[in-house]
Structure formats: structure tokens, C-alpha cells
Amino acid sequence: MAVYSEAQVLDRPPESGVADNSVREHPGLSSADASTTLRNGSNRKSRLPRFIARLGAGIRQDVRARAPWYRRDWTDAWNYRVVPSTALIFFANVLPGIAFSLDLIETTQQYGVAEVLISSFMAAFVFSVFGAQPLTIAGVTGPITVFNKTIYDIIEKQPNPPNYLHFVGWVYLWSAIIHWVTAILNWCNFLKYVTLFSCDTFGFYVSWVYLQYGIQVITRQFYTSPSTDGPLVSIICALLMLVTSFLFQALSQTPYFHRHVRRFFADYGMPISLVAATGVAYWGRFNKTDPTTLPVGGAFQAANGREWLVRFWQLEGKWVGVALPFGIILWVLFFFDHNVSSLIAQGSQFPLRKPPGFHYDFFLLGITTFIAGLIGVPAPNGLIPQAPIHTTSLLVMGRPTKKDLDEEERVSGSRAPAEGEKGSYDPALAQVEVPVAVVEQRVSNLAQGALCLVLLTGPFLHILSLIPRGVLAGLFWFMGADALQGNGITVKILYLIRDRSLTPPDEPLRKVRKSRLLLFIAVQLVAFGATFAITQTIAAIGFPVIILLLVPIRTMLVPRLPFTPEEIAILDGPTASPFTMESVGGSL
């Protein structure tokens, strides 16, 4: 009986593929007969117009590629990495989603915490059970709350405003229809033009939105609290949450303690910090300040006691047409936001082995968008930075083999000095753990969604109501700052201010002229500034269009600037590996 390591087990393909099944089902079929059958089938397809034959081709390709792995997606979850991943992504998904929605909840009075939790559960259930990319975490994002609030601000200024939830229901329906058309027409193939330029710029924007929301959560308390004591305690809790989270992260990267202890710090540092910061708010004299906490309603009750079914078809006819432009803008937002989340969650830094499915998952996103309008909840979509955080938490670490070291040496173009030779050889480097596999499964996504339903029960809603808003502000700061650390724009800026004598000689950015590096960063920062600025105005409803313009800026403007092909290759590149990009026809 063969013995496999954990990484080897994760690497083994399904026991039976499509080709094997066809052979087993037709044991008497010769090679010639099989060729004739396939040829006749292709001839029948060729009689159809090419356009008709291509309809839904991307969806069919995604289903065929992913279906053989479906059983393994569940059995591979028998791995300890799923436990800390579920805990981490539950806190990283639900609490920011609720905090993002606070402004929407308080302004519109049409949503509550229950709507946010139901939306998160629906997205987790659909994409974990039926999706082709279960590693992608979907939920309520900052952009969708800005979108919904802007719709409310616009229609409430009208002389005879329509019912808000009915109007949003039609916006979501129009958007869902366009989602389905997009998937059927294989428009997700345009993702081949989405490179690190667009992803880094959008990720930079999202990170700063997290930092901004953290500040807003604090500053609003100065206007609503009877004294400054409560807001000051919130600031203390926010800083405690921020500092302790980064402290646990730093300890996990030191040579101290056993490696299992360090991994425990990495897995549970953030949840422990959240519980500790919440406890401090109720400790001693802090408790007397009565810090502002999360607003919650009844168990499984919609806002204002309304029924869960939204009869949006009762909307007056003239408003149905008005909802169409809003639906198009929502489609633009989700097309970029959800697909970029999926790309980053399956980035080239992750050793993934199971195929993706962008067309099929975007069709599913249309279904969740329609359901969201039908039951009156914010529409969920892919989350940044939660999606890559989820994949990172599922990494299986191991020591690199000689083959891996040789490959790294070949790529870098330099040879590491052998022991006994002069150079920077460090025997301890041979003990450094690197990612060797990812536990690609569906359970962690489904489990964190199921916990959202548990949170909707009476006892857990009471616990949720005890979390101070200051702790959520600290969570926003931690997630935003942590995402900025690994962002490509941040890395390039830090390179510019780094002591050149301490920069590794094989650093690729050394081959880029400083003026060209500054120019590339400037283009990204201008795009980021335009996106961030428009969201601070009444024109915020149009910010998805600005985001989508990142793609033509990269494909049409950047190549016309004075960069050499080698410099472009270093400054930019595909977001995901060629294996992942096959689903959309390759990369740029």
C-alpha cells in the first residue's frame, strides 16, 4: 500500500476522470469506432452557426473541468487547516460586513443586521455547494453599501419617490439578467486583460476604504455620545485590537516558540485579539462609559418587522425603466469586483491544483443577486481582502525540496553559495517552511456561512450586541493595513525608499529605471485617487465605471508610455497562474 504525504494526497487527481468513465461504460468500443463517433458528433456541431455553438461554452467548460473534483472537494476537507480557516474567515467576513452596513442601516432604515447575515449565508451556501471556485469568499462589501445608500439618496429626493426595496429589487433583477447574459456570451474571457496593474490598484483602493471606515466608525461616536468618555474608550479598544493583532502576526514570523505555537498565533491571533479588546471595554471604569455597540434586532426578523418577500413587481411601471441604468452600473461593479476577488484568491503565489470556473460562478452570482432583491438584503459578491485571506489560511506549509531550491535558483539566475564557500549561505534557511499545497475544499466556506445563521439566534445576537464599535474600527484598521503590506503599489514605494546597499542583488526592480518606476506608480496612484475621490461625492454611484476603466488604461495607455518590454514584464504581470487563466482563454 502506497504512503503519501499530506501534500501528495492533496495533489492526487480524482480516481476516475471523464475519459476513464467513457472507456468503462463502453468496453467494446474500438479506437476506430470511438474516433468515428467523435467525428460525427463534431460534424453535427459544425452545422450550427459558430455564434450559436459558442453560447454557454465557458459555462460548459467550467462544469466539465470542475465536476470530476466535486467529491474530492468534500473529502479533502478532512484536514485541520479547515478549522482555523473557518474561524478566521467568519470574523473577517461577518463583522466588517455589519460595520460597512451601519451607515446603510441607519440612513435607510430598510436593512438590519439580520439582512447582512442572511446575505452572507446565502452567498456562502451557493458558492460552497454549487460554485466552481469555493475558495472565493462572498459577502456584503463596502462598495455595495455605498451603491445602495446612493440609490436611496437619489430616489428620496424625487417628488413622489417609489418604495425603496421594490426599486432595488428591480435594480437587482436587471443586473442579474445582465450577469446571465455575460456568462452565456463568455464575456468573462475579458479577464485575460486584468493584470496585476488593475488588481493592485483596486486592492489599494479597498485597503484605504477599510482604513477610512475605521476612522468613520470612531468619529461618528463623538456626535452621538452624550460625553467624550465613550468615544475615547472606543479609540483605546480600536488601538488594542490593531496592536495585538499585529503582535500575534509578528510572533508567528519569529524564530521563537515551537512551529505549532507560531502557527497557532497566525491562525487565531485575530479572533483572540477581538475577544480581548471586547473584554477590555467592560473592564473596570471603562464599563461605566457605556461604549457604543452594534445595533441588533430580533432573531430572524427583518428590519421594521417587514415580511421577507419583497413584491418588487408591484413597482410603478415608469420606475422599472429608471432602474435599468442602476442595474448596469451594479453589473459593472460585480463584474470587476467579484472576478478580481476570484483571481486574487487563486493568485500565482498559491500552489493550487484544482481548475477554476469564472463563467459558471458569474452565472451563479446573477442568481444570488436576484435572490437578494427578492428577499430584500444587500447583494453579496466577492470580498477583498477576505478571499485571499481564506486561501492563505488553508496553506499547507513544508520544507522546500532540493528540486524547489534548484528551480528557485534557476528563476533568479544566481547560485546560492555552498556551505564552506564565502557568501550569504545560512543553513537555517533550509529549515524555512514554504507553501507546498492548499487544502482546496468547500467546507470552510459553508461552515462560516452556517455560523451566520447561528449568529441570528437570540443568545448569539445578544453576544453580538456586546461588541463595541471601537473594536470593529480596530478590525478595519488591521485588515486594511495588513492588505496594504502585500499590495504591489506599497512594495514598489517601499523599494524606492529602501537603502540600495541593503537591497538584494537579484531584486527584479533593480532592472527598472527609477524614472519609469516612478511613472508606473504615478499612473496607479492617479487611478486610485480618482476612484477614491468619486466615492466621496454624490457621483459615487458611478465609481464602478472608474474601476472598470483600469483595464483599458493598462492595455491601451500604459504600452504607449516610455517603458521597455522588459520593464513592463517586471512591473506588471498576470494575477493568476497560466493554469488558472485557462478558464478565460489565457492571459494578456
Side-chain angles (χ1 to χ4, degrees):
M1 178 177 179
V3 179
Y4 294 89
S5 66
E6 184 176 34
Q8 288 174 320
V9 170
L10 292 171
D11 193 24
R12 292 174 63 194
E15 304 241 345
S16 60
V18 176
D20 293 337
N21 289 337
S22 62
V23 172
R24 290 193 182 98
E25 291 172 5
H26 306 283
L29 189 65
S30 66
S31 300
D33 293 336
S35 300
T36 304
T37 302
L38 292 173
R39 194 181 306 115
N40 291 337
S42 62
N43 287 339
R44 284 194 296 269
K45 289 183 180 180
S46 64
R47 296 192 189 106
L48 295 173
R50 179 177 175 79
F51 174 76
I52 301 297
R54 290 290 301 165
L55 290 178
I59 297 176
R60 294 193 300 271
Q61 172 188 323
D62 291 343
V63 172
R64 283 197 300 265
R66 192 72 194 200
W69 294 92
Y70 190 78
R71 181 175 174 274
R72 283 285 301 275
D73 285 340
W74 297 103
T75 58
D76 284 349
W78 191 253
N79 188 295
Y80 172 72
R81 295 302 322 148
V82 174
V83 177
S85 175
T86 300
L88 177 64
I89 207 62
F90 170 68
F91 287 107
N93 177 15
V94 173
L95 293 180
I98 294 174
F100 271 131
S101 303
L102 287 177
D103 195 22
L104 181 66
I105 292 171
E106 295 169 353
T107 301
T108 67
Q109 300 294 318
Q110 301 292 325
Y111 299 106
V113 171
E115 280 80 357
V116 177
L117 294 174
I118 289 292
S119 178
S120 298
F121 164 74
M122 174 185 65
F125 178 80
V126 170
F127 287 103
S128 63
V129 176
F130 304 105
Q133 300 168 135
L135 294 181
T136 301
I137 299 296
V140 178
T141 65
I144 190 61
T145 59
V146 171
F147 179 83
N148 280 15
K149 181 180 178 297
T150 307
I151 289 179
Y152 180 83
D153 293 338
I154 292 175
I155 66 174
E156 286 301 312
K157 293 179 180 179
Q158 305 307 312
N160 187 22
N163 181 284
Y164 172 74
L165 289 181
H166 289 184
F167 184 80
V168 170
W170 272 103
V171 171
Y172 285 5
L173 176 59
W174 283 123
S175 181
I177 293 173
I178 304 174
H179 277 66
W180 298 328
V181 171
T182 298
I184 293 172
L185 295 181
N186 311 307
W187 287 353
C188 287
N189 284 335
F190 285 104
L191 291 176
K192 68 176 68 176
Y193 301 107
V194 177
T195 63
L196 288 175
F197 171 89
S198 304
C199 293
D200 285 343
T201 307
F202 183 63
F204 199 75
Y205 160 75
V206 172
S207 299
W208 279 101
V209 167
Y210 269 74
L211 297 175
Q212 178 200 26
Y213 263 78
I215 295 173
Q216 288 182 355
V217 169
I218 295 293
T219 55
R220 285 172 183 168
Q221 296 182 45
F222 284 98
Y223 299 100
T224 58
S225 298
S227 68
T228 58
D229 293 344
L232 290 176
V233 170
S234 292
I235 293 175
I236 293 173
C237 292
L239 293 175
L240 180 63
M241 174 70 198
L242 174 67
V243 172
T244 53
S245 295
F246 273 116
L247 178 61
F248 278 116
Q249 185 183 85
L251 286 174
S252 70
Q253 298 169 355
T254 64
Y256 306 112
F257 308 107
H258 191 275
R259 63 187 181 90
H260 293 311
V261 177
R262 296 196 303 269
R263 195 63 198 257
F264 178 85
F265 290 156
D267 291 338
Y268 299 104
M270 189 269 280
I272 291 174
S273 301
L274 191 145
V275 173
T278 300
V280 166
Y282 296 95
W283 175 54
R285 296 176 62 183
F286 285 169
N287 188 30
K288 297 180 180 179
T289 64
D290 192 22
T292 307
T293 58
L294 289 176
V296 298
F300 295 97
Q301 289 184 4
N304 301 320
R306 67 171 178 87
E307 60 180 359
W308 280 106
L309 180 64
V310 176
R311 295 177 171 82
F312 62 85
W313 52 87
Q314 297 177 353
L315 185 69
E316 189 178 353
K318 67 176 183 179
W319 293 107
V320 173
V322 174
L324 176 58
F326 293 94
I328 295 174
I329 294 175
L330 180 60
W331 165 76
V332 172
L333 171 63
F334 279 8
F335 182 82
F336 191 88
D337 196 358
H338 184 81
N339 285 315
V340 167
S341 300
S342 300
L343 281 172
I344 297 177
Q346 301 172 97
S348 54
Q349 72 272 30
F350 301 120
L352 300 173
R353 296 173 173 87
K354 296 181 181 179
F358 293 94
H359 306 275
Y360 174 70
D361 271 18
F362 199 69
F363 188 90
L364 289 183
L365 186 65
I367 295 177
T368 59
T369 303
F370 169 69
I371 296 175
L374 190 62
I375 62 178
V377 302
N381 74 295
L383 295 172
I384 299 175
Q386 288 88 338
I389 287 176
H390 183 221
T391 309
T392 302
S393 67
L394 291 167
L395 282 173
V396 176
M397 308 299 289
R399 294 184 177 89
T401 63
K402 185 178 184 301
K403 178 181 177 182
D404 297 329
L405 295 174
D406 291 343
E407 178 67 16
E408 182 178 351
E409 177 184 321
R410 184 189 65 79
V411 173
S412 63
S414 61
R415 184 179 69 85
E419 190 171 6
E421 294 182 0
K422 293 183 179 181
S424 58
Y425 177 79
D426 185 359
L429 293 178
Q431 303 300 318
V432 175
E433 292 186 329
V434 298
V436 296
V438 175
V439 185
E440 302 176 63
Q441 40 71 49
R442 300 174 181 270
V443 172
S444 57
N445 195 351
L446 179 61
Q448 67 90 18
L451 289 175
C452 294
L453 287 186
V454 174
L455 205 56
L456 267 175
T457 59
F460 286 96
L461 276 178
H462 174 69
I463 295 175
L464 184 64
S465 69
L466 297 177
I467 299 178
R469 296 193 186 187
V471 175
L472 295 184
L475 179 61
F476 272 125
W477 292 343
F478 168 68
M479 295 183 65
D482 186 51
L484 279 178
Q485 285 187 109
N487 187 273
I489 297 177
T490 309
V491 171
K492 294 180 179 69
I493 293 175
L494 292 178
Y495 169 80
L496 287 173
I497 61 176
R498 187 186 304 164
D499 187 341
R500 192 169 180 84
S501 64
L502 300 178
T503 303
D506 58 348
E507 167 61 54
L509 290 176
R510 279 181 173 271
K511 301 177 182 179
V512 180
R513 291 168 291 176
K514 188 174 182 179
S515 60
R516 301 305 182 261
L517 179 58
L518 286 169
L519 177 60
F520 192 84
I521 295 174
V523 174
Q524 289 185 297
L525 290 180
V526 168
F528 153 73
T531 306
F532 194 83
I534 196 173
T535 56
Q536 311 303 312
T537 67
I538 190 62
I541 193 73
F543 81 94
V545 178
I546 304 297
I547 293 173
L548 191 63
L549 287 177
L550 292 172
V551 179
I553 288 175
R554 167 60 185 90
T555 56
M556 301 175 66
L557 174 63
V558 172
R560 298 176 182 272
L561 298 177
F563 297 105
T564 65
E566 183 184 17
E567 288 174 333
I568 286 292
I570 295 172
L571 294 170
D572 193 19
T575 303
S577 65
F579 169 70
T580 300
M581 298 304 292
E582 284 180 4
S583 176
V584 292
S587 56
L588 181 64

